[in-house]
Amino acid sequence: MGKVKDIFRSPEYKKVENDIEDFVKQKLQNYIPADTGKKTIHDPVWGSVDYSEWEMQIIDSPLFQRLRDINQVGLAMLTYPAARHSRFEHSLGVASAAKIMCDKIDKNSDNFKIPERNKNAIVLAALLHDIGHCFYSHLSETIYGELKDFAEVRKKFSEILELKPKPHEILSFMIVNTGTFKEFFFRYVNYPEKGSVRQTLFPDVGCMIIGKSIEREGRIQSYQTSLINGPFDADKLDYIKRDSLTAGLTLQYDMERLFTKIQVHSIASSQSVIEDRLVINFNGVTAIEELTFCKIMLFSYIYYHQKVLISEMMIKDYVFGLYKLSFIKSFSDFLTYTDSDILKLGRKQKGQNPFPEYGMLNLEELADNIHNRKLPRRCFEVSQGNVVAVRSEDGEAKALEYCADILSQCRDASREFTAGDLKNAMLSFSALLMKDDEVKLDLLTGDLRDMTYTEMLEKRKEFYDEFVKEYKNQGKNVNFTLFDIYVVFPKLVNYGAANEEVVLGKDHHKLMTIHEFVKLDHWAGSFNSNKWRGYVFVSDKIDKNISFEVSERLVLKGKAKLKNPMAYLKGIDY
């Protein structure tokens, strides 16, 4: 726990901690949980699930209840109307999955049982793993995660713990380790044996949430963290099932097979201490394969759907505008405002301009457009499969020269030019043509991905300037701003965990990586090559033909072109 204490002591952590403490005080003020006893809650994913009295005392708290108003998949409901489930039911679901996994581990493992104290801590971490989510879930963390004070906290976690937790995981870690939350918990919640775990419980819960293994009594108890934040954790088991179910997608993985094949396997770690590691039996890896496939499909159908992406970009403009005008000032504000609150704040603008250097952004109008699903339209779309290289004059000259050389050899009476020679020459010529047609879209568009908001504004300014120049060349009046243009190039997908040794071999001793069975990096590469799309969107104020031509020029930089450049202008999807 030494390194975790270093996090607590760091000035960067303390600087943000005050905000988080204020938020927790506000939510738990005057809340005293009732002695309700256990309850059964019915869920479409996990069926009827029993929750103990101490679980219900946390679930009923205002701190946890706020998750009802935070959508699990952000603004995806604008495209999938039924995908309106919240972080509340997802958190209950993760706790349900964690309980089942603990029971199955006890049944499946050789000479290993999870101590009851650890089971309770795992379920507690499952319940609270998303307690730090802000409005629109992952969307908001791309905003506050860029703010200076929070970026410094993230850097400190990375330096001290050698981890890169997501922003909402850090907020969850901080919330459960505030003095206010711990005082409430140990005073009012009827948690078992709480007197004996007062010093270690919430540092451990925080570690499980951010993905750090727990080491105690000479053993590395990594299985606890893996159940909450690992290659096949309770979180993934729930959201993959729940997100696809509410979106109306028939994605399935063999949950029962996975449950019957997981266990805890004890090994000697590199530090010569025993590690209790969560593993899956080699003949259960098909369940991991199915899980991965479902995740790919969720990216394809939901997370990277073009309407979802553009609505999220609009919210970024809106929230950064609120922040610039100090309508959102602190991390406590990010946590306090929920999905139904945030779109109302734009009414306070009253003519103030959050971005005077880039043109006027009307926050109230933007909020209405988001609420009413009045979204900008695609004017340009690019994917790896729809680009070809622009053949240079030099390349054409080389091809002609190569053809002339082959013809010369055929006509040369002094040498015998066989059918085999002709075949080899044509194969070489084909290779030359194919080489010219190769385009690495990843290299062309790398500067358009993973941008901070400030970098994205500058990139949009570049597009805006070119749009204006083209308008003036054509004698058209400019009646749009930078905020009528959206450049949307999402991150490439990376499924990770491929090299983690979590597969138990036939001998029940040797550990292997998932990659030896499921080529996760190949699957990710296939998605990026075949399913990934980059877009430029514009409002109705901008001419579609001009925006297409300018976007193609700026994105492909004259080094490539679309195979069917007219498809978009005709409104045809390719």
Side-chain angles (χ1 to χ4, degrees):
M1 205 170 106
K3 289 186 176 181
V4 176
K5 286 183 177 177
D6 291 340
I7 290 286
F8 292 144
R9 296 188 190 110
S10 69
E12 294 85 355
Y13 186 93
K14 290 183 178 297
K15 193 171 183 179
V16 176
E17 184 184 32
N18 294 331
D19 258 2
I20 310 306
E21 192 82 53
D22 289 343
F23 164 72
V24 178
K25 282 180 183 177
Q26 171 200 339
K27 299 309 291 185
L28 291 179
Q29 189 175 21
N30 301 323
Y31 172 66
I32 299 175
D35 296 333
T36 57
K38 73 175 184 178
K39 287 186 178 179
T40 300
I41 298 177
H42 305 285
D43 182 81
V45 173
W46 303 104
S48 298
V49 182
D50 291 332
Y51 295 87
S52 66
E53 180 179 58
W54 69 262
E55 291 172 78
M56 291 307 308
Q57 289 174 324
I58 292 173
I59 292 167
D60 288 340
S61 72
L63 184 66
F64 195 91
Q65 289 290 315
R66 66 178 271 277
L67 297 178
R68 288 184 184 273
D69 199 18
I70 296 175
N71 285 328
Q72 167 84 2
V73 284
L75 288 164
M77 76 279 195
L78 295 180
T79 303
Y80 296 94
R84 304 183 69 89
H85 57 300
S86 71
R87 289 283 156 182
F88 179 85
E89 52 263 42
H90 166 63
S91 296
L92 297 184
V94 175
S96 302
K99 292 176 186 180
I100 296 171
M101 293 175 84
C102 285
D103 290 343
K104 295 296 184 180
I105 286 168
D106 281 354
K107 182 178 178 180
N108 301 338
S109 302
D110 297 327
N111 304 315
F112 184 89
K113 299 288 182 186
I114 301 177
E116 199 64 28
R117 177 183 294 185
N118 290 0
K119 284 185 183 179
N120 289 329
I122 290 165
V123 172
L124 181 59
L127 270 180
L128 297 173
H129 81 287
D130 273 351
I131 202 69
H133 259 302
C134 304
F135 51 84
Y136 298 127
S137 292
H138 292 291
L139 175 54
S140 58
E141 71 180 336
T142 65
I143 300 168
Y144 68 76
E146 289 184 15
L147 303 182
K148 181 176 180 293
D149 288 346
F150 202 88
E152 290 177 353
V153 172
R154 294 179 73 186
K155 184 179 179 183
K156 191 57 63 175
F157 270 82
S158 179
E159 289 174 352
I160 295 176
L161 302 181
E162 299 179 355
L163 294 171
K164 290 187 177 179
K166 298 180 180 69
H168 80 273
E169 293 172 347
I170 293 176
L171 282 186
S172 297
F173 177 100
M174 297 182 80
I175 287 171
V176 302
N177 280 288
T178 56
T180 300
F181 183 79
K182 289 189 287 188
E183 181 183 354
F184 153 76
F185 183 87
F186 287 113
R187 183 175 181 182
Y188 293 117
V189 177
N190 296 328
Y191 186 81
E193 303 180 53
K194 61 184 179 183
S196 61
V197 295
R198 183 177 290 269
Q199 300 303 318
T200 60
L201 180 59
F202 286 107
D204 285 357
V205 167
C207 284
M208 286 185 244
I209 291 171
I210 63 172
K212 176 173 172 50
S213 295
I214 297 165
E215 185 171 353
R216 184 159 295 114
E217 299 170 358
R219 296 182 84 94
I220 300 172
Q221 301 171 9
S222 65
Y223 73 92
Q224 294 188 66
T225 296
S226 294
L227 283 167
I228 306 300
N229 193 338
F232 41 93
D233 55 47
D235 182 32
K236 290 183 184 66
L237 298 189
D238 184 82
Y239 81 69
I240 288 176
K241 203 82 165 177
R242 194 175 301 275
D243 291 1
S244 58
L245 176 68
T246 58
L249 305 175
T250 55
L251 301 181
Q252 298 290 333
Y253 64 87
D254 194 343
M255 189 188 304
E256 290 305 317
R257 185 167 187 80
L258 187 143
F259 284 152
T260 59
K261 299 302 178 181
I262 59 171
Q263 64 185 86
V264 169
H265 183 66
S266 300
I267 60 171
S269 75
S270 56
Q271 294 88 12
S272 298
V273 295
I274 300 299
E275 178 186 356
D276 298 321
R277 183 179 296 182
L278 178 66
V279 299
I280 187 165
N281 196 286
F282 76 97
N283 55 14
V285 174
T286 52
I288 304 294
E289 189 171 25
E290 292 169 351
L291 201 65
T292 305
F293 177 77
C294 288
K295 190 173 179 180
I296 290 174
M297 290 300 100
L298 286 176
F299 269 98
S300 181
Y301 291 128
I302 302 180
Y303 311 145
Y304 279 11
H305 188 286
Q306 52 109 356
K307 293 295 186 185
V308 174
L309 291 172
I310 183 54
S311 59
E312 290 181 349
M313 292 300 293
M314 295 169 74
I315 276 287
K316 277 194 175 184
D317 276 350
Y318 179 76
V319 175
F320 269 104
L322 295 176
Y323 182 76
K324 286 284 188 179
L325 295 176
S326 297
F327 300 152
I328 294 179
K329 299 179 182 179
S330 63
F331 299 108
S332 177
D333 287 341
F334 274 96
L335 287 160
T336 299
Y337 293 117
T338 57
D339 292 13
S340 59
D341 301 322
I342 200 68
L343 291 181
K344 299 172 185 175
L345 291 181
R347 299 170 188 166
K348 298 165 63 176
Q349 185 175 8
K350 302 187 188 315
Q352 302 174 75
N353 189 357
F355 303 103
E357 66 273 40
Y358 295 115
M360 184 63 181
L361 176 63
N362 187 322
L363 297 180
E364 187 170 6
E365 181 183 0
L366 183 56
D368 286 342
N369 288 342
I370 295 166
H371 179 72
N372 295 319
R373 200 179 182 273
K374 185 180 178 182
L375 308 177
R377 49 194 165 68
R378 284 176 294 179
C379 70
F380 179 81
E381 176 183 313
V382 66
S383 65
Q384 180 64 60
N386 196 49
V387 290
V388 291
V390 173
R391 191 177 298 282
S392 65
E393 292 182 6
D394 180 55
E396 290 183 4
K398 284 182 179 178
L400 290 172
E401 183 181 339
Y402 199 92
C403 286
D405 182 57
I406 294 174
L407 288 171
S408 175
Q409 292 183 57
C410 289
R411 292 168 179 164
D412 187 351
S414 65
R415 67 180 296 270
E416 183 181 357
F417 197 78
T418 66
D421 292 333
L422 181 60
K423 177 183 176 183
N424 291 333
M426 294 309 295
L427 287 173
S428 299
F429 182 58
S430 298
L432 175 67
L433 293 179
M434 291 175 67
K435 182 179 179 182
D436 283 348
D437 281 341
E438 287 181 1
V439 178
K440 294 293 184 183
L441 187 62
D442 186 22
L443 298 177
L444 279 180
T445 61
D447 63 326
L448 299 173
R449 296 192 314 270
D450 299 336
M451 291 185 286
T452 65
Y453 186 73
T454 302
E455 291 168 342
M456 182 168 54
L457 283 176
E458 285 299 310
K459 183 58 66 175
R460 289 161 79 182
K461 178 69 163 55
E462 182 183 329
F463 276 69
Y464 171 77
D465 289 342
E466 288 298 314
F467 279 31
V468 169
K469 187 186 300 183
E470 194 61 39
Y471 259 65
K472 289 181 177 178
N473 288 341
Q474 298 189 25
K476 292 176 175 285
N477 293 325
V478 175
N479 67 336
F480 55 87
T481 73
L482 172 151
F483 296 105
D484 290 297
I485 304 165
Y486 292 88
V487 182
V488 185
F489 281 68
K491 294 180 180 179
L492 296 178
V493 171
N494 179 5
Y495 296 108
N499 297 315
E500 203 170 331
E501 293 184 335
V502 292
V503 181
L504 191 63
K506 290 182 180 180
D507 61 359
H508 300 286
H509 178 72
K510 181 184 178 183
L511 286 177
M512 295 169 283
T513 66
I514 292 176
H515 184 72
E516 293 179 56
F517 300 85
V518 184
K519 307 300 184 185
L520 295 183
D521 51 348
H522 294 178
W523 285 34
S526 177
F527 176 91
N528 293 328
S529 293
N530 300 300
K531 295 288 187 180
W532 183 94
R533 300 284 188 273
Y535 306 95
V536 179
F537 296 84
V538 294
S539 76
D540 291 336
K541 297 176 183 178
I542 301 178
D543 182 274
K544 199 170 184 179
N545 293 335
I546 292 176
S547 57
F548 175 86
E549 292 167 5
V550 173
S551 298
E552 184 180 39
R553 186 166 69 242
L554 290 178
V555 172
L556 300 181
K557 305 174 179 67
K559 297 179 180 179
K561 61 183 179 181
L562 299 181
K563 289 179 181 177
N564 186 353
M566 299 303 292
Y568 239 82
L569 300 181
K570 293 178 181 177
I572 301 170
D573 286 333
Y574 43 71

